[in-house]
Amino acid sequence: MNNKKRLLAIMLVGAMVIMASLSGCGDNGSGSGAAGGDYVMDEVLNPLGSDVICKEPVTLEFMMSQSGQVIDYDTNKYTLEVERKGNVDIKFNLLPTADAGTKINLTLSSGTNLPDVINTNLDYASIATYGEAGSFIPLNTYYENSSEYLVPQMEKLKEDTGLDIFDYITMSDGNIYGVVRYNESLQNEIPHLLWINKLWLDKAGLEVPKTLDEFVVALKAFKTQDANGNGKQDELPVIDYANGPLMEVIENAFVKTGMEQITIADDGSLTMAYMTEGYREFLKYMKLLYDEGLLDKTSFSQDSGTRKTLLNGETTRVGVFAATSTSQLTAGTPRRENHEYAPMFLDNTAKPGYSTFRYMQTMPDLAYFITKKCEHPEVAFRIADYMCSEEMTVWSRWGEKGTDWLVPEESTESMYEFLGYPAYLEPVLQWGSSQNSHWQNATPGFRRTNISLGMDSSDTSQESKAFAIKELYDRYGKDFVADVIDERVYRLVYTTEELDEKADLINALDSYVANMRFEFITGVRDLDAGWDAYIKELKGMNVDRLVDINNAAYDRMKSK
């Protein structure tokens, strides 16, 4: 097993528990969705593999958020294909995007006027709460007996990578309450990059920095050498926005974090990154940038829109920013091409993983829930299973094959040809345009890397990210991703009691940590003199209890 597969295998952060039988669900003759008991297929269904899912028409009500880019859900080509394949009639209960989450929670809390299906992503606390309360039907038996498309793909993913999706979608009570939405994408696994102005580097006679010390040298040159050539010292060497990505990217070079600032201590247990000496060194580094006038104070207060305005001003003022791509810069302008990705290590002796290359493994979401009101839950599951086929997963994002996207000619290169991925599709329908071909990707689905990295090279929407990844691979070799991945926690599966207690703790702790980060970096509070008091205050806020909760969930994973 290669390094990536081995690491993926040990990073399973869910708790696969023994499936227990639940009573009171599936008493409509369609077979129980919970584990245990005898499975009986709903009589209205055709066998798996049939051309049509249902023998006779079935009506399903979907509650979901309404996208402004979809012209008409009833006549949408994706809707019509799902209805044709399923022999179902989908009735839509569409909610305004702005308050869809609130309305869905109110509907679930009241337990009245439930639809058959709630088609939306929910956080794991809500899933566990409404699942254990009986609002959602457990789907374990359907995963086991009624999946033509989804489960085989999950099994193939496990075979290829060691990643077992079931570990992440099974709640602590042993039940699976939703259908998977999985989007394996290297572009998303490298969520934020540092983009540096290459023209400014060339003017200063510098290469793209490879260490954080070299980064300071470059930023000082930007500040003092009139990098934009307007005769004024108005350059902002590096800038961010409030709660933006810059901090997490640079922090990664000092302490390896996964979800919610959780890190793995030397003894193998979990702790919070913001309590470690690595985090303290990160604060010292950021304070250096601030004290030298390299990090502007507005980085802690301005919003992302204000930063974007600065990036695109008439005069180039910003030397470095953190973002998913250079799409923050106006399309078609030379400024986009003048920025290069800077993956920097802590220093020349840094271990793999300690760099501004922050890798976050793709995690599955649950995006489709069948409620207790549904008379034919297995039909609803089969519809979701069809949505997870490769054909419909692609359709839900790019539209109809042959019309909204084309199969590239054999000679066409993909944007990631250098990684060995052939061109998979050539988009015709532009993302974000008003259309009636798909649901704006708001469906269950199962997308593998061959799709996400098989974008036709003529598609410019991901051009800067592809260029950055190519530069990274050219510089460090094709095993670089595997080399920098280290043990991290990407998701934990908690009990409902743990979730309730954790929510109360984490809100107060996160607010305090963010405020103290600002005060330490800007010098409002002395870092050396105030560190012990900071740790004492965290403990007074019961951070140790949060650590215990995380370790309890983590230990359940390791015991399986």
Side-chain angles (χ1 to χ4, degrees):
M1 180 179 289
N2 66 29
N3 189 37
K4 183 172 182 180
K5 289 182 180 179
R6 178 183 65 81
L7 288 167
L8 286 171
I10 65 175
M11 290 189 297
L12 298 177
V13 197
M16 194 68 175
V17 298
I18 299 174
M19 295 181 177
S21 175
L22 290 185
S23 61
C25 295
D27 294 332
N28 47 31
S30 61
S32 173
D38 295 327
Y39 165 72
V40 179
M41 186 175 73
D42 189 332
E43 293 181 356
V44 77
L45 286 166
N46 283 314
L48 283 176
S50 299
D51 290 337
V52 178
I53 292 172
C54 294
K55 299 174 184 175
E56 58 190 62
V58 173
T59 298
L60 295 173
E61 181 187 357
F62 277 46
M63 178 180 281
M64 56 190 284
S65 176
Q66 181 174 16
S67 169
Q69 279 74 50
V70 176
I71 295 171
D72 186 338
Y73 281 89
D74 289 321
T75 61
N76 189 278
K77 288 193 289 186
Y78 179 88
T79 304
L80 296 178
E81 169 57 22
V82 171
E83 290 180 328
R84 181 205 66 78
K85 174 69 175 181
N87 194 13
V88 296
D89 180 18
I90 299 177
K91 301 296 185 183
F92 291 98
N93 183 349
L94 298 172
L95 306 173
T97 302
D99 58 357
T102 300
K103 290 194 173 185
I104 287 171
N105 279 318
L106 287 173
T107 299
L108 287 168
S109 297
S110 69
T112 58
N113 299 317
L114 288 171
D116 297 303
V117 169
I118 291 178
N119 179 46
T120 190
N121 282 27
L122 291 176
D123 62 77
Y124 271 51
S126 297
I127 296 169
T129 298
Y130 294 126
E132 291 185 19
S135 297
F136 297 147
I137 292 176
L139 306 179
N140 305 48
T141 296
Y142 300 149
Y143 272 90
E144 183 179 352
N145 297 285
S146 202
S147 174
E148 180 179 356
Y149 302 99
L150 175 56
V151 171
Q153 292 183 96
M154 291 167 60
E155 291 172 345
K156 183 66 166 60
L157 177 69
K158 183 178 179 180
E159 178 185 332
D160 292 344
T161 69
L163 183 66
D164 192 339
I165 294 290
F166 282 112
D167 286 332
Y168 297 91
I169 63 174
T170 304
M171 298 295 104
S172 61
D173 66 356
N175 287 310
I176 304 170
Y177 292 111
V179 179
V180 168
R181 183 168 184 245
Y182 180 75
N183 180 7
E184 185 182 49
S185 169
L186 179 60
Q187 301 98 313
N188 294 336
E189 290 173 343
I190 310 171
H192 297 116
L193 309 173
L194 283 178
W195 299 96
I196 191 165
N197 191 313
K198 190 67 168 59
L199 292 183
W200 287 14
L201 286 173
D202 292 343
K203 183 174 181 180
L206 299 171
E207 297 294 326
V208 174
K210 293 184 174 63
T211 69
L212 291 184
D213 287 342
E214 292 177 9
F215 188 48
V216 173
V217 172
L219 295 180
K220 286 183 177 179
F222 292 171
K223 181 177 177 60
T224 62
Q225 297 181 20
D226 190 21
N228 61 14
N230 68 349
K232 298 186 292 185
Q233 190 175 307
D234 61 351
E235 289 81 3
L236 301 170
V238 60
I239 199 165
D240 200 21
Y241 56 90
N243 301 312
L246 177 71
M247 297 291 181
E248 71 178 31
V249 170
I250 295 181
E251 180 189 350
N252 192 72
F254 294 85
V255 55
K256 295 171 293 187
T257 61
M259 60 173 282
E260 298 175 350
Q261 283 285 304
I262 294 173
T263 190
I264 302 177
D266 291 339
D267 64 1
S269 65
L270 303 186
T271 188
M272 304 309 297
Y274 50 70
M275 300 174 67
T276 65
E277 282 300 311
Y279 184 79
R280 186 177 182 180
E281 292 302 312
F282 154 70
L283 292 176
K284 288 181 180 178
Y285 182 81
M286 297 307 298
K287 185 176 188 305
L288 168 68
L289 298 187
Y290 182 82
D291 289 346
E292 295 286 342
L294 309 177
L295 173 67
D296 194 78
K297 190 174 184 177
T298 57
S299 297
F300 298 94
S301 57
Q302 68 183 349
D303 59 26
S304 59
T306 303
R307 188 195 69 165
K308 188 172 184 177
T309 299
L310 272 172
L311 292 176
N312 293 288
E314 184 176 348
T315 299
T316 303
R317 295 186 60 202
V318 178
V320 180
F321 64 95
T324 58
S325 70
T326 56
S327 61
Q328 291 292 302
L329 303 170
T330 303
T333 62
R335 208 171 288 185
R336 273 197 182 187
E337 299 176 3
N338 294 340
H339 284 76
E340 186 171 335
Y341 169 46
M344 297 172 293
F345 288 88
L346 176 59
D347 53 45
N348 287 319
T349 63
K351 297 177 182 178
Y354 289 95
S355 75
T356 58
F357 176 87
R358 188 167 188 258
Y359 178 88
M360 295 296 289
Q361 173 61 31
T362 298
M363 290 287 103
D365 294 314
L366 293 175
Y368 180 105
F369 306 89
I370 303 170
T371 76
K372 63 183 180 181
K373 179 258 185 183
C374 187
E375 294 184 12
H376 294 281
E378 190 173 7
V379 172
F381 179 85
R382 285 271 197 99
I383 294 299
D385 183 66
Y386 179 55
M387 290 176 167
C388 290
S389 67
E390 184 169 307
E391 175 189 2
M392 296 311 292
T393 295
V394 173
W395 195 322
S396 72
R397 166 59 177 82
W398 284 277
E400 184 182 16
K401 180 179 180 181
T403 302
D404 301 312
W405 65 272
L406 307 175
V407 176
E409 295 182 2
E410 198 170 314
S411 60
T412 302
E413 289 192 355
S414 78
M415 201 173 291
Y416 291 87
E417 196 80 26
F418 64 94
L419 293 179
Y421 290 94
Y424 183 97
L425 59 83
E426 178 183 336
V428 175
L429 178 63
Q430 294 302 305
W431 178 256
S433 60
S434 181
Q435 50 78 30
N436 213 33
S437 295
H438 57 70
W439 291 5
Q440 289 293 122
N441 209 29
T443 69
F446 206 90
R447 193 192 310 172
R448 293 295 304 275
T449 298
N450 67 301
I451 300 173
S452 62
L453 298 187
M455 299 294 293
D456 171 20
S457 59
S458 66
D459 178 20
T460 60
S461 63
Q462 289 282 338
E463 193 173 75
S464 60
K465 178 68 75 72
F467 176 77
I469 293 174
K470 186 176 189 308
E471 289 289 304
L472 186 150
Y473 275 74
D474 286 347
R475 189 179 304 167
Y476 297 107
K478 295 207 180 340
D479 293 330
F480 181 59
V481 171
D483 289 341
V484 301
I485 299 172
D486 210 330
E487 294 180 34
R488 298 171 194 259
V489 173
Y490 297 118
R491 180 169 293 164
L492 294 171
V493 176
Y494 300 93
T495 66
T496 50
E497 292 79 10
E498 288 169 343
L499 284 166
D500 289 341
E501 188 176 1
K502 172 176 166 284
D504 291 335
L505 291 169
I506 203 167
N507 289 335
L509 285 165
D510 284 354
S511 177
Y512 174 70
V513 168
N515 183 62
M516 291 302 296
R517 181 178 64 189
F518 169 77
E519 293 193 359
F520 281 142
I521 291 173
T522 59
V524 173
R525 195 174 304 240
D526 185 87
L527 178 57
D528 291 328
W531 180 258
D532 289 344
Y534 161 74
I535 295 296
K536 183 177 181 181
E537 181 66 20
L538 286 173
K539 290 184 176 294
M541 297 174 72
N542 223 359
V543 70
D544 289 336
R545 177 55 188 153
L546 176 62
V547 170
D548 288 343
I549 291 171
N550 290 334
N551 274 296
Y554 191 53
D555 288 343
R556 286 196 297 270
M557 175 273 294
K558 292 191 295 184
S559 68
K560 300 303 176 181

